[in-house]
Amino acid sequence: MYIIVVGCGTVGYHVTKALLFGGYEVLATEQDSRRCEMVCEELGSVAIAGDGTEAGVLEEAGANRCDALIACTRSDADNLAACQMAKWRFGVKRTIALVNNPQDVGLFKTLGIDVAVSSADIILAHIEEELPDHSLVHMLPLKENNRELVEVKIPPDAAVVGKRLAQVQLPPDSLISLVIGKDGQLRMPNGDLQIQADDEVVAITTPEGEADLWEALTKVSEE
Amino acid sequence: MHVFIMGCGRVGSIVAQALAQEQHEVTIIDLNADSFRRLPKAPNVKALVADGTREEDLRQAGIEQMEVFLTVTQRDTANAIAAQMARHVFAVPKVICRLNDPMRQEMFQGMGYDVVCPTRIVSEMLLESIHR
């Protein structure tokens, strides 16, 4: 597989290196000629100097025969431009963009970028997971149908503790896909599943239904 | 007409001035406040320091009330993302985009944007001048 990486800065460099070690054919484009030289010195002739948002540079990089293009610059505008040019002019099948500002993820997806990765969102999810009282953790946005995969930890004082899944009122468009017990045991969700304290409930929901789902699973018992 | 202009360089400021004289309501943004010195002090011209490539900046600058969005910065990629935000996020009825790269101009014209390509226009005019 032949992959083009646009931007050989912090992220781009590591992506290029990892792909090379993974046995892929890789070429990176980098605007800063000195940086480009440094990368070539270390990794071999795997980088060319130039603006990867420009058709001419992408052509030189062999975009017409590449299988995927990964845009990792620090500018969302440039990452978007590189991916769009790659798709429109060279028919690149898979375009992947680093999205620096999480607000831009929606736009990238609307415009047909195949994968839009927001580093801030990933870090946030990890931080949320580390917090001892983490409630709802965003695990993965699901591309189609505006869904996301989330994880909710059931607090010991929640009203649903001891209840069966069939008794829990979930918001529409939310589905429990898996329950992980405190001991790490996996339980498949059926109506009879009994929710226990410290269970981690993996669910598919919508951004709109998320708050209601969290409320339904973590609301404190009124007794 | 409510017109939003991104970029207060030479082109942006001239367009802003002309529109202001025609009594349109103009909002113009730029990353650098110094750029606004080219603007006339008129009640129908609002100048703000903002980054048009950021959705939040555009929203705060009032893009949602605009009928026309015009982006004329020197940076093609900035103009491109802003124009697409104007259409897809804010549904501005008319979006006009300056793009220096003729290839990118072709792409965006194909996507239904009004594009002005200085490179193409200038080269055509120069060639015409040579042939005369």
Side-chain angles (χ1 to χ4, degrees):
Chain A
M1 235 185 44
Y2 178 48
I3 301 174
I4 294 178
V5 176
V6 172
C8 220
T10 324
V11 177
Y13 163 75
H14 287 289
V15 168
T16 302
K17 196 165 168 179
L19 289 170
L20 281 169
F21 287 170
Y24 296 98
E25 194 189 341
V26 189
L27 190 72
T29 70
E30 169 53 49
Q31 270 195 299
D32 184 320
S33 48
R34 240 182 6 186
R35 180 144 189 95
C36 189
E37 256 175 61
M38 266 167 44
V39 171
C40 286
E41 260 171 37
E42 193 199 320
L43 302 175
S45 300
V46 297
I48 59 171
D51 181 348
T53 67
E54 300 276 318
V57 174
L58 289 175
E59 184 158 22
E60 198 189 320
N64 57 337
R65 66 174 186 88
C66 84
D67 300 286
L69 180 136
I70 308 177
C72 329
T73 76
R74 275 187 307 200
S75 156
D76 284 354
D78 287 359
N79 292 340
L80 181 65
C83 288
Q84 285 189 299
M85 184 59 81
K87 218 168 197 119
W88 176 82
R89 175 84 176 80
F90 300 100
V92 174
K93 270 183 251 104
R94 208 152 167 74
T95 53
I96 300 158
L98 171 68
V99 180
N100 297 283
N101 182 345
Q103 267 202 323
D104 293 338
V105 172
L107 181 69
F108 274 60
K109 293 196 173 148
T110 302
L111 296 174
I113 308 305
D114 298 292
V115 184
V117 180
S118 161
S119 39
D121 283 343
I122 291 176
I123 292 171
L124 204 64
H126 281 290
I127 291 174
E128 284 173 350
E129 225 173 60
E130 290 303 312
L131 295 175
D133 307 316
H134 87 258
S135 40
L136 187 141
V137 176
H138 297 88
M139 295 176 73
L140 192 71
L142 297 173
K143 204 166 62 157
E144 281 87 37
N145 315 105
N146 189 34
R147 294 279 198 281
E148 47 186 16
L149 193 70
V150 301
E151 189 203 277
V152 180
K153 192 156 179 174
I154 309 294
D157 54 359
V160 299
V161 172
K163 289 222 166 71
R164 288 177 302 117
L165 204 52
Q167 296 172 285
V168 179
Q169 190 110 40
L170 294 175
D173 291 340
S174 288
L175 194 72
I176 309 280
S177 55
L178 184 70
V179 178
I180 308 172
K182 193 164 146 182
D183 51 3
Q185 272 242 316
L186 305 177
R187 281 143 48 222
M188 288 307 287
N190 58 49
D192 286 330
L193 180 148
Q194 202 186 50
I195 299 176
Q196 285 151 19
D198 294 324
D199 270 348
E200 285 180 12
V201 174
V202 179
I204 297 180
T205 184
T206 59
E208 297 76 34
E210 192 184 289
D212 291 334
L213 176 69
W214 180 77
E215 177 80 21
L217 293 173
T218 62
K219 195 174 59 175
V220 173
S221 176
E222 269 145 48
E223 293 145 59
Chain B
M1 251 193 341
H2 287 84
V3 182
F4 193 109
I5 304 176
M6 172 172 159
C8 196
R10 279 185 278 244
V11 174
S13 54
I14 289 173
V15 172
Q17 186 149 30
L19 288 171
Q21 270 166 6
E22 289 170 20
Q23 302 306 318
H24 297 295
E25 293 294 319
V26 178
T27 298
I28 183 161
I29 65 170
D30 197 283
L31 290 170
N32 190 348
D34 288 337
S35 313
F36 301 139
R37 69 183 194 284
R38 301 182 176 103
L39 289 175
K41 290 250 180 313
N44 55 340
V45 177
K46 195 164 68 160
L48 300 162
V49 173
D51 182 349
T53 66
R54 293 177 63 89
E55 202 180 297
E56 212 31 64
D57 277 31
L58 289 174
R59 188 175 282 118
Q60 279 183 17
I63 193 175
E64 284 159 320
Q65 284 78 47
M66 298 294 150
E67 294 147 78
V68 182
F69 179 84
L70 175 64
T71 173
V72 295
T73 77
Q74 302 262 35
R75 240 181 102 214
D76 274 14
T77 59
N79 293 337
I81 196 174
Q84 293 180 98
M85 264 182 207
R87 172 188 281 189
H88 292 280
V89 179
F90 299 109
V92 178
K94 193 174 176 84
V95 177
I96 305 162
C97 186
R98 165 189 178 173
L99 291 172
N100 294 311
D101 176 13
M103 184 77 70
R104 212 174 299 276
Q105 176 208 19
E106 216 183 293
M107 174 164 81
F108 274 69
Q109 261 174 350
M111 290 175 355
Y113 288 87
D114 273 307
V115 185
V116 177
C117 181
T119 315
R120 225 191 261 277
I121 293 172
V122 168
S123 15
E124 279 164 10
M125 290 175 80
L126 287 170
L127 282 166
E128 206 200 331
S129 195
I130 291 170
H131 291 314
R132 263 189 266 126

